[in-house]
Amino acid sequence: MMTSKNTENNINKTSSNGNIPVIEIRSLKKYFPVQTGALSRIFSKDTDFVHAVDDINFSIDKGEIFCLVGESGCGKTTTARILAGLEPETSGEVFWNGKQISFDELKTTKGNVKTQIVFQNPYSSLSPRLRLGEAAQHPLVVHDKIEDKKTRETIKRAYYSEAGLVVSFVISIILFLTATIRKDDSSLWFIAFAFITLILGIGSYIWFGRIQKGKLTDDIIKSIFNLVGLAPPDQYYNKYPHEVSGGERQRVAIARSVVLNPKLLILDEPTSMLDVSLRAGILDLLLSIKDKFDMSILFITHDLATARHFGDRVGVMYAGKIIEIGAVDDLFNNPMHPYTKALMDAIPSPTPRDVEIQLPKGDVPDSINPPSGCRYYPRCKYAQEKCSSELPILRELKENHFVACYYPLTMVQ
Amino acid sequence: MRVINISDKVILEVKNLVIEYPMKEGNLRAVDDVSFSLKSGESMGLVGESGCGKTTIGLSLMRLLKGGEIKAGSINFDDNDVSILSDEDLSKIRGKKISMIFQASQNALNPLQKVASHFIDTFKAHDMWSNSKWDEINKIIERIEISKDRINEYPHQFSGGMQQRIVIALSVILQPTLLIADEPTTALDVLVQAKILKLLRELKSEYNLTMIFISHDLGVVAEITQRLAIMYAGQLVEIGTTKDIFANPQHPYTEALLNAIPDVQDKTKKKQISIPGTPPDLRFEIKGCRFASRCSYRKDICNEEPPELLNIINGKIGGDNPNHKVRCLKYNDDF
Ligand SMILES: Nc1ncnc2c1ncn2[C@@H]1O[C@H](COP(=O)(O)OP(=O)(O)OP(=O)(O)O)[C@@H](O)[C@H]1O
Ligand SMILES: Nc1ncnc2c1ncn2[C@@H]1O[C@H](COP(=O)(O)OP(=O)(O)OP(=O)(O)O)[C@@H](O)[C@H]1O
Ligand SMILES: [Mg+2]
Ligand SMILES: [Mg+2]
């Protein structure tokens, strides 16, 4: 018989080892107010809320790939957007390297890049008007994130040469004016000096501000494109997004996020629109980038097989809650929550099967008025009296394997 | 057990079909010399990488190509050649006898129209509307596990999976002979997907549909088809029964596709195997085999000689058994 080390504190220790996680989320909630019609707004005083994310806890270690899986609408994207600082939380706490910060501080600003997100849809994540080269380079320029010393030097020179151009303009105008005012023999000298200043100014601007800097950005883009396997780069950087395939587009989107060197890379279904052959390529790419840049990854997917092969740990979400969390092998070899089991059974199998699979009855619950007790009980074939009235919390039923269920599967069998 | 009713009547025969999209730099040949046939009640999967021409074939069967032209070949459906049919005759077939679930069709429902009026419009489009049809509508709504009280709600009030079920119900309500389903479950999660596949399987036997199921996911097609056609860069590279192809993939591309499927049960296969490289640019003439640059069995001859789609049996080319065909030079005696 298993014993459950069931304490509140335990729930937050959802990291796989004793290290301080890169990020830890506690009791995160996000409720969206629902737009109701004018009439109902007059007649009812309370607003309704979509319980998109309802009190979740998890943490991600350094270098770890943490996957979030679950049915459509269970709150995965909402969680991702909050972790990227793109959506305000309703309530909750966040710890970055063990230190409590506000969710607002997760947002990328100049000089502060903690997280970066790659969005669900490769077809809408890139601006159709920017060439791929511009798109990839854009974040670097905006966030002034150039580390290399020589590069910084070149940029500084380009900057000075722009200032120099302005100064030389001003000086030559003054010289011209002086020449016209004096109207004597020395005027010619003044005009000559004015020309020389102007030419020097323009010349240095063209050399430092244009040619050298142009070469530099080319180099940067080239290295970014090579990094994500878009080679040879010059074949790609003048193309528009609609001129390349979905897989190539997704690579550019990934490149854009990686160049800022975030500590946590958030990937929202980065491969679900791509076919298997492209999918494996993108995952390989992500693994190599992760190691090279020493990042952690939050990987969101509804493809359980990909989660198993790509992730270290996985959290299963249902209707705004995390209902099971554990190391991938543990969790998929031995799913304890009936919902996790149902998800696994539903995966289409390449080997034709003889028995029909048993799918859970019904659809996902109403997210405005979620069922009392366990969110899954109306569809669960093991549900008992207690499930409908009391909300199960995550308990550590095996080492580092947490389940929110009163009648977990290994105990039923 | 699944009951499958396949008669010997050939309902669809596509012969040497060539489809091109005119482009500035030259014509893009999206479909190149494709032939296959379907018997009544049969369901065939059309599988291949993004951009290989699956949707183009699907659309051509109803002559709905946007910008594309049928350059050669014939499409025989129920004793009519669709490729030369008059617009008037075509409109009698389109949507009624051949029906299609379009790619990304969750967005196909009109957000301003109630679910019920989508059904009414479908009947009206073929002058088949009468009040007695309400029974049929109610029946199919319950069939897809949506309460009939909700028939007057708008599409956005339903979840993505429910919307897709409504789209499917709309596509079979006129009892078509042939249903073309273009990636009906892509971008849906596994539970919703499993439900939709089950629904399609059941509707298929209830309505005795003949079906073409387009997908890039081999796991999905295995669940629902008896035959498979594997496409690569506009051509069929392998065609055969689903069972045979899964047990014995003959084309190197099919083999690579099968290897790239991750398996959640498999603890040992830790890494997915990708297929490096990209398909050729279809705007230009291609010498030799189209898959050669990505093929691990490649020899020099592959870049020279284009392979033909030939019968194969027990790993040997030839014979008169047309049930399994492959397009690969590897099976030549002198390879
Ligand atoms: N801006 C918003 N306003 C109101 N409701 C929202 C908003 N964004 C999301 N929701 C709702 O919150 C819930 C969770 O949505 P979310 O996009 O996080 O789901 P998801 O798990 O990413 O689903 P999918 O797999 O379909 O991408 C859904 O019911 C959704 O309708
Ligand atoms: N309207 C169009 N104009 C020009 N080229 C087109 C057009 N539609 C499709 N193509 C091209 O024809 C080829 C086949 O496209 P098709 O849509 O049939 O591919 P598919 O196999 O359905 O791919 P996916 O899995 O991405 O849906 C592609 O190279 C595509 O770029
Ligand atoms: Mg999402
Ligand atoms: Mg398509």
Side-chain angles (χ1 to χ4, degrees):
Chain A
M1 197 61 212
M2 254 180 250
T3 52
S4 59
K5 297 175 247 165
N6 174 15
T7 65
E8 282 282 340
N9 290 337
N10 239 330
I11 304 164
N12 285 327
K13 208 214 89 196
T14 39
S15 131
S16 54
N17 53 35
N19 295 340
I20 295 172
V22 172
I23 192 166
E24 182 178 341
I25 300 296
R26 289 190 194 162
S27 312
L28 176 63
K29 287 185 188 166
K30 177 72 194 183
Y31 296 170
F32 290 105
V34 184
Q35 305 287 337
T36 41
L39 262 186
S40 47
R41 223 176 292 158
I42 294 168
F43 289 115
S44 90
K45 288 202 187 67
D46 341 295
T47 337
D48 285 335
F49 290 97
V50 174
H51 297 56
V53 175
D54 205 358
D55 195 3
I56 64 169
N57 301 280
F58 67 87
S59 65
I60 305 175
D61 279 345
K62 285 198 181 69
E64 187 180 44
I65 301 177
F66 182 74
C67 301
L68 265 185
V69 301
E71 231 164 323
S72 180
C74 68
K76 306 181 295 291
T77 299
T78 308
T79 308
R81 289 177 55 85
I82 293 173
L83 292 203
L86 300 175
E87 186 96 66
E89 82 285 5
T90 302
S91 68
E93 292 174 358
V94 56
F95 295 80
W96 186 262
N97 286 324
K99 198 172 133 257
Q100 183 164 14
I101 58 171
S102 70
F103 280 95
D104 212 31
E105 288 172 71
L106 291 171
K107 190 170 179 165
T108 304
T109 52
K110 222 169 195 169
N112 171 23
V113 182
K114 291 190 167 67
T115 64
Q116 276 289 298
I117 184 167
V118 176
F119 291 104
Q120 201 157 357
N121 184 349
Y123 294 86
S124 64
S125 57
L126 292 175
S127 160
R129 281 181 304 276
L130 278 186
R131 292 172 195 274
L132 298 181
E134 295 165 316
Q137 172 207 4
H138 195 63
L140 277 179
V141 179
V142 173
H143 294 292
D144 191 15
K145 263 295 255 196
I146 291 161
E147 312 259 299
D148 183 39
K149 202 169 159 214
K150 212 175 116 214
T151 319
R152 294 194 79 105
E153 209 60 355
T154 316
I155 288 183
K156 222 189 260 167
R157 278 201 211 109
Y159 179 72
Y160 287 146
S161 76
E162 278 167 34
L165 182 66
V166 177
V167 172
S168 75
F169 253 121
V170 174
I171 294 177
S172 57
I173 287 170
I174 293 172
L175 288 174
F176 264 119
L177 286 177
T178 329
T180 39
I181 292 166
R182 292 181 70 129
K183 279 191 186 146
D184 56 16
D185 288 353
S186 59
S187 292
L188 261 181
W189 284 107
F190 277 105
I191 291 174
F193 273 125
F195 267 113
I196 292 170
T197 328
L198 201 57
I199 286 167
L200 277 178
I202 294 174
S204 78
Y205 170 69
I206 290 178
W207 181 248
F208 291 114
R210 290 267 149 179
I211 299 177
Q212 292 280 37
K213 196 180 162 204
K215 234 193 255 164
L216 175 78
T217 25
D218 268 9
D219 284 349
I220 297 176
I221 300 172
K222 261 186 209 151
S223 64
I224 298 171
F225 276 48
N226 276 325
L227 177 75
V228 294
L230 291 175
D234 46 332
Q235 194 193 314
Y236 291 99
Y237 54 61
N238 284 322
K239 282 193 169 169
Y240 288 98
H242 69 262
E243 294 172 322
V244 296
S245 78
E248 289 163 342
R249 217 172 310 194
Q250 196 60 298
R251 279 164 192 267
V252 178
I254 290 169
R256 274 169 60 98
S257 327
V258 170
V259 287
L260 290 177
N261 199 359
K263 284 293 150 231
L264 176 65
L265 183 62
I266 302 169
L267 302 156
D268 190 1
E269 314 246 11
T271 58
S272 63
M273 311 259 302
L274 307 174
D275 46 85
V276 272
S277 53
L278 292 174
R279 199 179 297 172
I282 297 260
L283 294 178
D284 283 349
L285 168 72
L286 284 168
L287 276 182
S288 73
I289 289 179
K290 176 184 92 74
D291 292 339
K292 196 162 164 190
F293 287 79
D294 192 24
M295 295 185 303
S296 306
I297 292 181
L298 172 62
F299 188 86
I300 291 172
T301 179
H302 57 240
D303 178 359
L304 275 71
T306 300
R308 166 153 215 181
H309 294 288
F310 184 65
D312 298 315
R313 271 187 323 132
V314 58
V316 183
M317 271 186 98
Y318 185 74
K321 297 211 167 274
I322 291 185
I323 51 96
E324 185 161 3
I325 198 166
V328 281
D329 283 343
D330 254 355
L331 193 133
F332 289 123
N333 287 344
N334 183 16
M336 291 203 238
H337 199 288
Y339 177 68
T340 312
K341 183 78 171 55
L343 276 183
M344 288 182 65
D345 288 344
I347 298 172
S349 142
T351 39
R353 45 185 155 216
D354 290 332
V355 257
E356 278 287 345
I357 40 170
Q358 290 276 310
L359 294 175
K361 51 186 188 263
D363 284 292
V364 279
D366 181 358
S367 54
I368 297 171
N369 301 303
S372 60
C374 174
R375 299 284 153 97
Y376 187 61
Y377 94 84
R379 301 172 77 185
C380 181
K381 59 181 171 189
Y382 306 108
Q384 314 241 346
E385 190 74 34
K386 189 178 180 186
C387 306
S388 65
S389 54
E390 279 173 62
L391 182 72
I393 55 163
L394 279 175
R395 296 177 296 159
E396 190 172 15
L397 295 186
K398 264 169 75 181
E399 205 183 347
N400 293 319
H401 190 159
F402 298 77
V403 188
C405 177
Y406 291 123
Y407 306 99
L409 285 179
T410 40
M411 297 191 163
V412 173
Q413 283 154 6
Chain B
M1 270 312 287
R2 294 172 202 162
V3 187
I4 299 155
N5 251 324
I6 303 175
S7 75
D8 275 339
K9 182 167 181 257
V10 172
I11 209 93
L12 176 75
E13 180 152 39
V14 174
K15 266 194 191 150
N16 308 104
L17 187 64
V18 176
I19 300 171
E20 291 186 349
Y21 290 102
M23 310 261 285
K24 262 186 284 165
E25 306 86 344
N27 285 356
L28 186 152
R29 186 168 281 207
V31 173
D32 196 357
D33 196 18
V34 164
S35 307
F36 61 89
S37 65
L38 275 177
K39 290 183 186 135
S40 170
E42 203 171 28
S43 93
M44 184 183 87
L46 195 53
V47 181
E49 216 158 0
S50 181
C52 70
K54 307 181 293 293
T55 300
T56 304
I57 290 184
L59 291 173
S60 74
L61 302 182
M62 291 167 83
R63 244 170 66 200
L64 280 176
L65 290 166
K66 286 182 205 80
E69 286 166 32
I70 299 179
K71 288 282 175 183
S74 63
I75 299 166
N76 243 302
F77 172 74
D78 220 4
D79 303 326
N80 295 302
D81 187 350
V82 172
S83 63
I84 52 170
L85 218 55
S86 72
D87 285 351
E88 195 190 330
D89 288 338
L90 193 63
S91 68
K92 283 182 201 146
I93 292 181
R94 201 188 267 166
K96 177 160 189 329
K97 289 200 164 158
I98 308 180
S99 162
M100 184 157 175
I101 301 168
F102 295 97
Q103 196 165 2
S105 56
Q106 296 93 297
N107 316 330
L109 296 172
N110 182 346
L112 302 176
Q113 260 191 347
K114 292 174 180 167
V115 168
S117 68
H118 280 91
F119 282 96
I120 297 173
D121 282 359
T122 307
F123 281 111
K124 281 187 176 160
H126 293 274
D127 292 327
M128 291 167 69
W129 175 246
S130 67
N131 274 330
S132 63
K133 301 287 186 207
W134 277 115
D135 283 347
E136 263 173 68
I137 297 178
N138 286 333
K139 204 176 121 215
I140 198 147
I141 283 284
E142 303 229 299
R143 182 70 200 69
I144 59 173
E145 289 179 31
I146 291 177
S147 148
K148 63 176 182 232
D149 310 332
R150 299 191 63 183
I151 193 145
N152 280 320
E153 291 183 13
Y154 291 92
H156 71 90
Q157 290 168 290
F158 296 90
S159 74
M162 287 166 140
Q163 289 183 24
Q164 186 67 335
R165 289 189 330 245
I166 294 170
V167 169
I168 290 173
L170 282 167
S171 73
V172 297
I173 187 97
L174 299 180
Q175 313 217 351
T177 319
L178 174 67
L179 177 67
I180 306 161
D182 191 358
E183 311 256 11
T185 64
T186 308
L188 298 175
D189 60 79
V190 278
L191 274 177
V192 178
Q193 171 172 287
K195 225 176 191 165
I196 299 233
L197 289 177
K198 182 159 172 269
L199 175 69
L200 274 172
R201 215 156 42 218
E202 289 165 359
L203 288 175
K204 187 182 156 297
S205 62
E206 282 163 34
Y207 290 72
N208 193 31
L209 296 169
T210 309
M211 185 151 80
I212 295 179
F213 193 97
I214 298 175
S215 179
H216 60 243
D217 189 336
L218 277 168
V220 171
V221 278
E223 293 267 326
I224 197 158
T225 61
Q226 294 106 43
R227 273 172 68 220
L228 268 186
I230 313 283
M231 270 191 95
Y232 186 78
Q235 294 182 324
L236 294 187
V237 293
E238 184 164 359
I239 184 165
T241 64
T242 307
K243 235 171 87 202
D244 271 359
I245 289 189
F246 273 92
N248 252 327
Q250 300 292 328
H251 197 279
Y253 176 63
T254 316
E255 202 184 312
L257 268 186
L258 284 170
N259 276 332
I261 305 179
D263 182 355
V264 76
Q265 303 294 353
D266 190 347
K267 296 152 226 166
T268 49
K269 195 169 119 192
K270 192 65 196 169
K271 213 161 130 41
Q272 292 182 49
I273 301 152
S274 59
I275 310 172
T278 47
D281 190 333
L282 297 174
R283 284 170 308 175
F284 307 111
E285 183 131 2
I286 304 151
K287 228 174 121 196
C289 169
R290 298 177 174 207
F291 187 61
S293 67
R294 305 170 75 181
C295 182
S296 51
Y297 301 96
R298 175 191 54 228
K299 285 192 179 167
D300 289 344
I301 178 111
C302 300
N303 291 321
E304 304 298 327
E305 197 180 311
E308 284 173 61
L309 190 66
L310 299 170
N311 292 345
I312 184 162
I313 190 160
N314 300 330
K316 281 245 176 299
I317 283 289
D320 47 9
N321 172 18
N323 288 335
H324 199 161
K325 293 177 190 234
V326 67
R327 187 190 292 279
C328 181
L329 296 174
K330 171 163 97 110
Y331 297 98
N332 286 4
D333 291 335
D334 52 356
F335 188 78

